[in-house]
Amino acid sequence: LGSAPRFASNVAMENINIHDFVLNPIEKCKFALSNSPFTVRGPFADVFDADVASYVDEDGFLHYVGTPFSDAQLAFARATESWSALSHTDMGKRFQRWTSGELQLDYQNDVMWSCNTDIQLHVQKGPIGLRIDGISDARLSNVNIENLINIGQLGDTEKCGAYLKGNGHQDSQVQLGYTGTDNYGVVIVNSDNVVLENELNINGIESHNGIATGLNILRDAQLTLDVTAKISVSNIKAGTQLALNTLTFADLPNKIPVACAVNLNLGTIELLKSGSKIDDQVLIEQESIYGHASCLDSLHLAEEDRVIVPSACNALEDGIQYILPYGLYAPNDYPLLPVMCNNGDTVLDPSLSFETYQKYFSSLYLYDIGIGGPSLDDFSTWRQWFLPFENRDIKAVFQYGVSDDCSQCEYGNAETDNPDFPPSTNNAYYMTGNFYLCAWITKGDCDMDAETYECHQCARNGGRTDLVYPGVCSHLKTNVDTTVHTDHYQCTGNNDNVKPAIGTNGQFCTCYKPQENDLRVFQMNKADFDADVIALQQQQTEEDNTNDDGDVSGNNDIIYLSNQDFLYGTYRITQPGIYMLTEDISINFNEPSEDIKNSPDFSPNSYDELYWFPKQDGSQDDQYMGASTWSGPYQLGFFTAITIETNDVILDLNGFEIAMSKEFYLQQRVFSIVELAAKNFVSGQGPVDFGPYLNSATNVVIKNGAIGLASHHGVHGNGAKGVTLQNLKVYNFDVAGIQLNGFEDATISDCEVGPSSSQIPVTGRYLHARVLLRRYQHLVDNYGDDELTFYNREPQTVKQYVDELIAQMDMVYNHVINEYEYSVEQDGDEEYARWLKAADLFMNPNENGYGDGGVVYGILLNSRGGAVMGFGNAPSQSSNAVVDNVYIHDLAISPLEKLKFKTNGLGGATRGPVADVFDIMKVVDQFDDISTSNYIGTAYSDVQIVMSQFEQSWYVLDHTCFDQGMMNWVLNGETFGDFGGFYGGCNTDIQLHINKGVIGLRIDNILDFTVSNTRIENLLNTGGLGVETEICGAYTQGNAHQDPLITAGYTGTEGYGITITQSTAGKLKNVQISNVETHRGAANGIALFKDSSVDFNTILIDSIVAGSKLTLNELRPEQDYLPNKIPVACSIFDNNYNTQYTISADDETTLPTVKGSNINGFLLCTDDALIGECDSASCNAQYDKAYFDELSSITAKQQSLLTVLFSNHKYRKSVVHIVCVSVIALSSLVILIAIYRYHKGEYKTLSSTNKASSFLSYAYGASESTPLLLN
């Protein structure tokens, strides 16, 4: 309609009766191949009917089956050479190869569609009684139109999506979406001087599934009513066979059935009769006009009461304007959209009204304050995401750009554009994968600055490659058609994940400009327009007031807290004030009743009941975001006893203690007593989507009491400002007493931190199983009856696998809480065998109850986000920290190393939903030769695999990653050797975090810090050596997030009083550190790492012991002592990685004191690495460095000779025998020389009784224990 130029003129129509049409339009979409823009068709433009001539299989491939007619079309195309005969035929060679079965077509990628056409490729229009299109000078008299019925079905919604224009010959300003269900009595378009002289009667216009209009006057048309003219309209019925609420205004291409007597869409009616009113000459039987919705009463709007609203800013003035991007208006579906106009560009800025912008995107989710994007399961490109862009016929004529400040559009991308060509006009912003739980290659290496949003580039930390990649960023500039991975393995297994993004706080917007002839306009009631604009402006004002902190003064009222306030969940402090405990608080949220616990069928880990979790009936959702959904900080359970989410709060413990109960401590393994924010992870980090709202505390004091048993932290916070922790005892924590990330101005004074927990009953695997219970529920509810068969096992259902895991968890609960001891006598062989499996899987193997995680801290002061990577991986800085009069003591850890493992070298580590590592060492029959090992499995690993195979929801899968080689191994018995190998990483714990050992005080990326009058003592690391495996070999860098220039090799055996990394303007004064012991690794009083500057004033270090339980033959000289290193002890260690320090005293008359005593290890740090002095009488190395060099040299020579010998098959046995004897003789000579040098005193030893004996015992394979190096 309206596409033809005006050629015809001088038309007269008189005494015309048009009646009784019934039309059933059948849509036939244009079919084309992706390498050709032309529709496949026959000589008469007869469309190839792909709907009946082909089908799509379950793998997404299109197959030709044919019909007699399509076979004839194809035969004609193949056999005919004459262009005259072929005419419109287009059935090319690629199409022919597909129909003959020589070529496969992927339905999604190889096929293109255009829609809203019939079998002759004509645009659908439905019944039209009288169409006047492109006419000048037409006169109508006595025209009667009645009983037109359209019984056509709704248009196809899959092939072309939600289009405005189904094909290139459709003007969406005139015909919108699918038009095969439309029905019009009269259409006048693109015509002038059309005069009605007397009567026009329109009656009985009905559409079963679409719109119905009596008189439709469209673009560039005017109908003039002569003085005697009368128009009568009645019985206009829309959607008579379509159920109500089937469609909304947003359900393009099908339109909600609107009934309209007269529609003026950029067209007009002129009255010639003086003094006449429109109702005098246009008579509408209003009660007979009905549909699912009514149209705008354009007939009665005067010109001054109308506003023409465009779809873009092309002709609008600069500044905030209001547009209708579709050229449609419906308050709930197509509302006015506020945008920033600049030089004709339309800048999309959701900060102007986030809720309104949500109407125009396929989905718009807030990933962080300031960062919006498609929801987790929305895989749109930018063009597809903003729905008005989606129409394929106009994508080539839109210009796309970006706007950093949301005020001015920028086209082109300096990073990707060729400077020899004009700037590209198809750029938009995308966010990196970490924001939506997918992988990104440089995560943790050079992340975006959270305050300034500045993004960086870097090589992967630690020097694995010189290639430079973008860091984590919410606004990478890239192509508007950049694809988003739709396969979940690509999300977690690839490192190149990006997703469309748009700033939501007035930064990093996307802009566009359509060409002029693709602008749409809508004629809107000015009163409605003005009211909507006022409402949008008021909404913006309210949002601005909400975001303005203003002057929030403290409330002096005291809120008293008792155990009654902690029965059902976290106590959230969201208002300023003084909060005071009135008694000791024992946390046991939402515990089951005693009656339930005593019932015989009680399952403490029931995924149906979810005891100790937030309630799943929705009743706690408003209070605890994520309680029963997949977005929010409470989706893994309660993570804290108290949150402080506001300004000006005093939390006075009032001499009391707040702690987890023993039962809750077991059942909620991720928990801090106090959280200084609304959630425990910043956006873009953590195992699941914790929601966008951090709401960090500002100006907060916590004082006067004890913070006890906690499965993670005593006090934890992200982004807090003005924090004072005073007069506290923080103890019985598993991970850290106090951890502050990304803070400004923190003071910790008069506090005691320690001891850490020494009765930890379970490993981190129990933590994983508990937090995943909701996901197990979803898995069983949706796939419980499906079966899976592991290699060499009987098949079981999904529910059976999950229930076995729950049964083993329940045994652990019964043993820990009820102190039940399982035995064959009491429980029978089968149950006892199950208990042994449960104990091996979940129970803490450390006899002292020390944690199995990678690290324990007294205090951790860190930059933004978690500190789970290696030292120096923090992306930004915190500032102004004071630690004064603090006693940190009795921290102990016993890390268990877990390996990253995979069979795809470019893929991600095998893991479950919360980055729970697939424990390869625990699930194989043997680990000596990995290439031939077989899967045995545990109840936990079975469920990890089951979830990866059946679960489809990205909200449930989260970080899950299992590559094809792993699946072939567990399901088909194909060994890794048969598959082609394996890959991995080392030096991580069960959560894929880097092992670091025991650390009293860690200071990472802090600007301006002071530690004074502080004592740290009794730190112990009993962890075993790192796993020596062919996966990593003799490494210095166990995985990508370890910087070997800071700490090399396996680091889970180490211990530090204080570490300082990338921190400047630091002062340490009056600090005492004593009794830091490691059983098998390095030990340091203080370690000064990369890019740090510190002044030391009066520092005393005593009793640092490295490697107290290590046997000499556990070291590997043939591997250059890697990954397990020679235990080195140091009072204050400087790794000389761009470090600076000074040693000072209080005044000029006092000598500086920075001294170590009783520093003992296999070796001591070298003089150039030692800060201050070490007492020569008590600082002793057990061995001299040359001793270990000699061992390494011997083994190197032996290996070299034997390698040459046994790799050269031409040698006879006699020659081999001679060479072997020579090697032994040479080794003996070197040994004798070494013994002689020991007796001469050329090698240091710790005791006079241990001279050459260690050397000899190593050379001949005997075991030698090193005594405890304690005075």
Side-chain angles (χ1 to χ4, degrees), residues 757-763 815 839 843-852 892-896 1020-1024 1079-1080 1109:
S757 297
S758 60
Q759 294 182 346
I760 300 174
V762 290
T763 66
H815 173 71
M843 296 303 296
N844 186 358
N846 186 271
E847 61 184 10
N848 297 307
Y850 304 151
D852 66 311
I893 191 76
S894 187
L896 293 177
L1020 176 63
N1021 186 341
T1022 67
H1079 281 185
R1080 295 170 182 86
K1109 298 291 186 181

Side-chain angles (χ1 to χ4, degrees), residues 26 74 383 439-440 531 582 599 699 740 823 949 959 1007 1246:
I26 297 175
L74 189 60
R383 192 191 306 277
W440 183 252
T582 59
S599 65
N699 191 22
L740 302 179
S823 66
Q949 291 301 287
H959 289 279
L1007 174 62
L1246 183 63

Side-chain angles (χ1 to χ4, degrees), residues 2-114:
S3 60
R6 295 181 185 176
F7 284 122
S9 62
N10 299 320
V11 178
M13 288 171 275
E14 185 177 3
N15 298 325
I16 306 255
N17 189 27
I18 302 170
H19 62 95
D20 296 297
F21 291 3
V22 178
L23 185 66
N24 181 25
I26 297 175
E27 183 180 23
K28 296 295 180 182
C29 295
K30 297 180 181 182
F31 173 91
L33 301 185
S34 57
N35 67 332
S36 170
F38 301 110
T39 301
V40 178
R41 60 193 185 274
F44 199 60
D46 41 301
V47 68
F48 169 70
D49 192 351
D51 287 334
V52 297
S54 63
Y55 74 95
V56 181
D57 67 21
E58 61 183 9
D59 296 320
F61 290 101
L62 189 70
H63 298 273
Y64 179 74
V65 293
T67 66
F69 189 82
S70 67
D71 288 348
Q73 287 177 304
L74 189 60
F76 181 80
R78 286 178 170 174
T80 305
E81 296 182 359
S82 168
W83 280 35
S84 298
L86 286 169
S87 188
H88 289 282
T89 301
D90 193 323
M91 291 186 168
K93 297 298 183 185
R94 188 165 178 240
F95 175 79
Q96 294 179 27
R97 290 177 61 207
W98 168 65
T99 59
S100 64
E102 300 173 42
L103 178 72
Q104 278 192 322
L105 290 183
D106 183 295
Y107 183 78
Q108 292 294 328
N109 299 316
D110 295 330
V111 177
M112 299 172 62
W113 296 97
S114 295

Side-chain angles (χ1 to χ4, degrees), residues 893-1070:
I893 191 76
S894 187
L896 293 177
E897 184 183 20
K898 302 297 178 180
L899 306 179
K900 296 183 177 182
F901 193 84
K902 57 187 178 179
T903 65
N904 181 349
L906 299 178
T910 309
R911 60 194 187 274
V914 290
D916 41 304
V917 67
F918 182 76
D919 192 353
I920 186 67
M921 293 184 289
K922 188 172 279 293
V923 301
V924 295
D925 57 348
Q926 55 83 23
F927 204 67
D928 294 331
D929 181 5
I930 307 171
S931 63
T932 63
S933 62
N934 296 300
Y935 178 70
I936 300 299
T938 65
Y940 188 87
S941 66
D942 284 354
V943 174
Q944 284 180 304
I945 295 163
V946 166
M947 180 168 285
S948 77
Q949 291 301 287
F950 290 100
E951 185 58 68
Q952 297 298 311
S953 170
W954 282 42
Y955 294 96
V956 176
L957 286 169
D958 294 307
H959 289 279
T960 300
C961 185
F962 279 78
D963 61 43
Q964 190 57 51
M966 297 298 298
M967 298 318 303
N968 290 349
W969 179 59
V970 300
L971 299 181
N972 304 326
E974 182 178 10
T975 66
F976 300 127
D978 293 338
F979 183 78
F982 49 85
Y983 307 86
C986 299
N987 198 22
T988 60
D989 63 12
I990 205 166
Q991 191 63 43
L992 299 180
H993 298 164
I994 290 181
N995 293 313
K996 291 174 278 287
V998 59
I999 302 174
L1001 170 61
R1002 178 179 172 186
I1003 299 171
D1004 247 36
N1005 280 66
I1006 311 300
L1007 174 62
D1008 193 357
F1009 63 93
T1010 299
V1011 181
S1012 58
N1013 306 312
T1014 291
R1015 183 159 55 103
I1016 301 173
E1017 64 184 20
N1018 300 333
L1019 311 186
L1020 176 63
N1021 186 341
T1022 67
L1025 292 173
V1027 177
E1028 294 181 346
T1029 169
E1030 56 189 304
I1031 292 175
C1032 298
Y1035 64 83
T1036 57
Q1037 184 181 13
N1039 60 76
H1041 297 292
Q1042 177 180 359
D1043 186 343
L1045 298 180
I1046 298 178
T1047 54
Y1050 180 65
T1051 55
T1053 54
E1054 298 179 354
Y1056 304 89
I1058 299 175
T1059 65
I1060 302 168
T1061 312
Q1062 289 181 311
S1063 298
T1064 56
K1067 302 177 182 66
L1068 268 64
K1069 181 178 179 181
N1070 294 332

Side-chain angles (χ1 to χ4, degrees), residues 1164-1227:
L1164 299 185
C1165 57
T1166 58
D1167 290 343
D1168 64 338
L1170 176 65
I1171 297 176
E1173 58 184 33
C1174 203
D1175 173 51
S1176 58
S1178 62
C1179 295
N1180 294 310
Q1182 185 172 3
Y1183 302 98
D1184 194 271
K1185 177 69 164 57
Y1187 171 55
F1188 292 107
D1189 293 341
E1190 194 79 39
L1191 290 178
S1192 184
S1193 175
I1194 292 171
T1195 56
K1197 290 174 182 178
Q1198 290 176 340
Q1199 286 181 334
S1200 177
L1201 283 171
L1202 293 174
T1203 299
V1204 171
L1205 173 64
F1206 291 107
S1207 64
N1208 195 330
H1209 299 290
K1210 70 180 182 180
Y1211 292 125
R1212 294 177 298 177
K1213 291 182 179 179
S1214 59
V1215 177
V1216 171
H1217 176 73
I1218 293 170
V1219 174
C1220 287
V1221 171
S1222 299
V1223 170
I1224 294 171
L1226 177 61
S1227 300

Side-chain angles (χ1 to χ4, degrees), residues 283-326:
L283 306 177
I284 299 173
E285 190 178 280
Q286 197 63 52
E287 63 273 13
S288 69
I289 315 297
Y290 60 85
H292 293 210
S294 301
C295 63
L296 173 71
D297 185 9
S298 55
L299 190 65
H300 295 92
L301 284 178
E303 185 171 349
E304 61 271 19
D305 295 329
R306 304 175 189 174
V307 176
I308 302 299
V309 184
S311 59
C313 286
N314 295 44
L316 296 178
E317 295 181 357
D318 290 355
I320 295 177
Q321 300 286 358
Y322 300 87
I323 66 171
L324 293 169
Y326 283 110

